Amino acid sequence: MATIRTADSSIPLHRYALVAAATEDTIESPTSKPKTSVAINENNDDEEEDANISPTASLRSSLDLDAYDPAIQPPHDLLRPKGSLTYLNGLALILGLQIGSGIFSAPSQVSRHVPSPGTAISVWLIAGLLVWTGAASFIELGIAIPDNGGIQEYLRTCYGDFAGFLFSWIWITIAKPSAIAMIAMIFAENLGTVISTDADSGLLATWKAKIIAILGIQAVTFVNCLGSRTGAQAANGFLVLKLLAISSIGITGLVIGTFGLWKEGQKPDTAWFGKDPDPLRQQFPIWVQVGEYVTAVYGALFCYGGWESLGFVAGEMTNPGRDLPRAIISAMTIAVSGFFTLNVALYVVLPFTGLRERSTVAVDFGQQVFGLAGKLGYSLIVSASCLGSLNSNVFATGRLCAAASKREYLPAVLSNLHCSTRDQEPQYNKTALRRFPSRLSKMIAWFAAITGPLRWEKNVPIYAMVMNASIASFYVLIGTFDSLVTFVGISEYFFFLLSVMGLFILRRNTDSTSQYRTWTINPVTFCLVSGFLVVRGLLTDPLQGAALFTLIAIGWLIFRLRFRLIDNTGGT
């Protein structure tokens, strides 16, 4: 049986970025064209033949691979890298990505779309259960495809190469930049509570927050472009900071509610279940109310985001069949119980209408309970947590773009593969920019010259990070937290749905008697609920749906044109 192993194209795109974000180590991008090692094994013979081919030919070899077929695929154990991650490593990685900064803002977004605190708590539980069914399905996918890992590889295995390309395209143009924009908005809103004045209101306050958010994105991107790295210990520190904030709010709120320790006149008077306090919203038709609930669920799902990361660590675990289910079940238990407790505490202490009006829920909680010191303390804690999340996402997305470029999904310049050496770059730029206006071409050439040492000597994907920062800043300018939550939710759950549906394809095509198999009710439930959420989300926000499908159409066109060109050039 012949097997093909490609040195660079075998790197799973999303795991490449995920491991980068988890460790925050600089991942080097090659400064020369990658080499491909072709290993031929027949009749258990150990002979190997190495050949150097162009990255385009390497891509061609991967594009020509058939869909997963157990009759021709080598055993996963032969392709799996030697695992080093334990149960605790996997748990920390999943929690670090799952508990982000959204939990300090999304409760306000959820409250705006439901009629009462009890309904809002139900939304958080429903979202948690939905994520749990999806996570259980991803466990089976991660164990069935441990050598690759990640949604991109699930889609490529189940549906072919275009599905994997489309996932990368949408993740780079919508999902990750939008997530960065939302984190930056949370950072700006919480920092704004410290530096704002009474004169800041309405449109002025909105644009002030947008400017702070964009400056935050640019600053973090600039630091990452310098090749600096926070380090794994700092990333763990941010996780501890967020856990402390969540637990302190939850415990304090429950103590106040249990022993009746409200300050005079501050006990919320909203019924836990009842009619919406807004008379206008009481008149919404049932179908519109359903759309409001869907939007609320997307807000909760945004906070639970990161559960899909379990597939990226499956191939690195010492015993994924044992430790992967334990890690995800533990992570989901901590996340669901923590978010549930925090939201109950918020509704016990803060008035429901107040939560609807202001998105800085942790800061408002701190001010209500501890006064000015609590306001300043929680503002700084949440802002620092946002910076940590922003740094990890900017770092990871830059590497994600570079990895997609190495697969030739994006222009080679994003991963510094447009030239073999730095000396060749001036001539390359001169040729590539000859059709640009003179002033613009000089500016680009100047930027290429001053960033050359970082790109060629420190292997920093500066062009990729600049592109990502530009897209994220654009989303900050045109979007709001509510609109971006729905945009990201529809985009992500469209691909989550396809991935879990692919589970049934794997089951049909493989003999999984020795594989982990989740209860069938889990993928069925996830597919039904996710399908409804995606369809209802598209109907609720047709403009966002149109934007999504426009980008999908552009991605399809790019895929066809780019790889038709590869066919015509014969892999050169």
Side-chain angles (χ1 to χ4, degrees), residues 106-129:
S108 174
Q109 190 267 352
V110 171
S111 299
R112 286 195 290 270
H113 296 280
V114 296
S116 64
T119 311
I121 297 298
S122 300
V123 165
W124 285 94
L125 290 177
I126 291 171
L129 292 175

Side-chain angles (χ1 to χ4, degrees), residues 125-177:
L125 290 177
I126 291 171
L129 292 175
L130 175 63
V131 167
W132 208 309
T133 61
S137 304
F138 268 51
I139 291 173
E140 183 172 340
L141 283 168
I143 293 176
I145 317 173
D147 53 301
N148 291 324
I151 301 171
Q152 178 192 247
E153 301 306 321
Y154 301 160
L155 294 173
R156 290 182 64 188
T157 299
C158 297
Y159 303 107
D161 294 288
F162 173 64
F165 166 82
L166 189 61
F167 167 80
S168 304
W169 169 253
I170 295 299
W171 235 243
I172 289 170
T173 56
I174 295 180
K176 298 309 293 183

Side-chain angles (χ1 to χ4, degrees), residues 115-296:
S116 64
T119 311
I121 297 298
S122 300
V123 165
W124 285 94
L125 290 177
I126 291 171
L129 292 175
L130 175 63
V131 167
W132 208 309
T133 61
S137 304
F138 268 51
I139 291 173
E140 183 172 340
L141 283 168
I143 293 176
I145 317 173
D147 53 301
N148 291 324
I151 301 171
Q152 178 192 247
E153 301 306 321
Y154 301 160
L155 294 173
R156 290 182 64 188
T157 299
C158 297
Y159 303 107
D161 294 288
F162 173 64
F165 166 82
L166 189 61
F167 167 80
S168 304
W169 169 253
I170 295 299
W171 235 243
I172 289 170
T173 56
I174 295 180
K176 298 309 293 183
S178 294
I180 289 173
M182 286 188 286
I183 294 170
M185 288 177 179
I186 299 171
F187 164 75
E189 289 173 348
N190 283 274
L191 186 63
T193 61
V194 178
I195 63 177
S196 63
T197 64
D198 294 336
D200 295 338
S201 60
L203 189 62
L204 177 62
T206 299
W207 279 101
K208 184 176 181 179
K210 286 181 179 290
I211 292 172
I212 293 174
I214 292 174
L215 290 176
I217 293 172
Q218 303 304 322
V220 172
T221 301
F222 177 75
V223 170
N224 276 274
C225 284
L226 294 179
S228 63
R229 48 187 179 172
T230 308
Q233 291 183 348
N236 292 336
F238 283 122
L239 174 60
V240 171
L241 201 63
K242 287 179 281 190
L243 288 174
L244 286 175
I246 291 173
S247 59
S248 66
I249 292 175
I251 295 172
T252 303
L254 292 181
V255 169
I256 291 175
T258 301
F259 297 100
L261 301 179
W262 293 278
K263 296 179 181 179
E264 184 176 355
Q266 291 187 351
K267 181 179 179 180
D269 56 0
T270 305
W272 278 86
F273 291 95
K275 293 183 178 180
D276 196 300
D278 185 349
L280 180 62
R281 295 178 61 85
Q282 294 178 16
Q283 302 174 12
F284 282 174
I286 296 297
W287 187 240
V288 175
Q289 293 182 29
V290 171
E292 292 289 295
Y293 284 122
V294 168
T295 303

Side-chain angles (χ1 to χ4, degrees), residues 333-413:
T333 301
I334 294 172
V336 173
S337 59
F339 292 173
F340 172 81
T341 304
L342 179 140
N343 278 275
V344 170
L346 290 175
Y347 291 117
V348 165
V349 173
L350 300 176
F352 184 64
T353 53
L355 277 170
R356 281 182 162 183
E357 294 170 358
R358 291 172 55 83
S359 58
T360 54
V361 295
V363 175
D364 293 346
F365 180 91
Q367 183 174 20
Q368 183 102 333
V369 177
F370 303 110
L372 181 60
K375 174 184 177 179
L376 293 175
Y378 277 107
S379 175
L380 295 176
I381 289 174
V382 175
S383 297
S385 298
C386 290
L387 280 179
S389 298
L390 198 60
N391 181 72
S392 295
N393 276 272
V394 167
F395 182 93
T397 307
R399 270 62 184 180
L400 183 65
C401 295
S405 173
K406 291 168 73 174
R407 283 192 180 276
E408 300 195 16
Y409 286 171
L410 296 176
V413 69

